[in-house]
Amino acid sequence: MPLSARGQTQSQAAAAALESVRIADVVSSPLQRSIQTAEIIGTSYGIEVARDPRLTDFRVGKWSGMSYQEVSTSPEYLRFIDDPLSERIPGGESLSEIRDRSVAAVEQALVDSPTGDAIVIVTHAGIIRVILSHYLGSNPANYHRVRVSPGSISVLS
């Protein structure tokens, strides 16, 4: 699904907010809206967007295509939310696998761009929450407590 008009406006606002930042690289999830957002930012800097499949959204297995209402009432979801470190998404990933792949993508972006300039990573709210929890030293099971708004910018240094 492509970016909505609101998503395009949010992406342009994010690019404008980063105007004074020296950016070395823009790395994106391979999913369409992330790529579109990253391209809006990258175009502002003349940077070609790199795609990293490790930044894709949670692989949700049997929950794919279900509404949040349907998922949130399932016993598997309630177990996952209650103990995300021990429970696996049915047919999908564990929280540890999600953390390991997304943090590896960030670490690789840092290695590939040793200039000291900023790296923009465009991905999904759940992945951002997991990455932020990791770098803040928080228990990974608390990732869902981190709030991330669409089009927002999180800065790690």
Side-chain angles (χ1 to χ4, degrees), residues 53-132:
R54 296 173 294 183
L55 293 171
T56 197
D57 209 351
F58 288 19
R59 295 179 184 117
V60 295
K62 92 174 218 183
W63 298 337
S64 185
M66 294 173 67
S67 71
Y68 177 72
Q69 183 64 28
E70 292 170 317
V71 172
S72 68
T73 58
S74 73
E76 297 101 334
Y77 178 78
L78 297 174
R79 285 194 303 271
F80 179 77
I81 290 300
D82 187 49
D83 190 4
L85 290 176
S86 297
E87 291 293 324
R88 177 182 212 84
I89 295 171
E93 300 175 283
S94 70
L95 182 59
S96 296
E97 290 168 335
I98 295 166
R99 181 201 57 219
D100 292 350
R101 73 170 163 84
S102 60
V103 168
V106 172
E107 297 292 327
Q108 185 67 49
L110 293 170
V111 167
D112 289 348
S113 186
T115 65
D117 292 342
I119 298 166
V120 174
I121 295 177
V122 181
T123 188
H124 314 278
I127 298 297
I128 294 168
R129 290 175 181 142
V130 169
I131 290 170
L132 289 174

Side-chain angles (χ1 to χ4, degrees), residues 24-71:
D25 206 1
V26 178
V27 183
S28 175
S29 156
L31 299 182
Q32 185 178 22
R33 286 181 290 189
S34 290
I35 292 168
Q36 289 175 315
T37 299
E39 286 175 345
I40 288 169
I41 295 168
T43 298
S44 300
Y45 290 89
I47 296 173
E48 188 172 332
V49 174
R51 299 175 189 191
D52 191 325
R54 296 173 294 183
L55 293 171
T56 197
D57 209 351
F58 288 19
R59 295 179 184 117
V60 295
K62 92 174 218 183
W63 298 337
S64 185
M66 294 173 67
S67 71
Y68 177 72
Q69 183 64 28
E70 292 170 317
V71 172

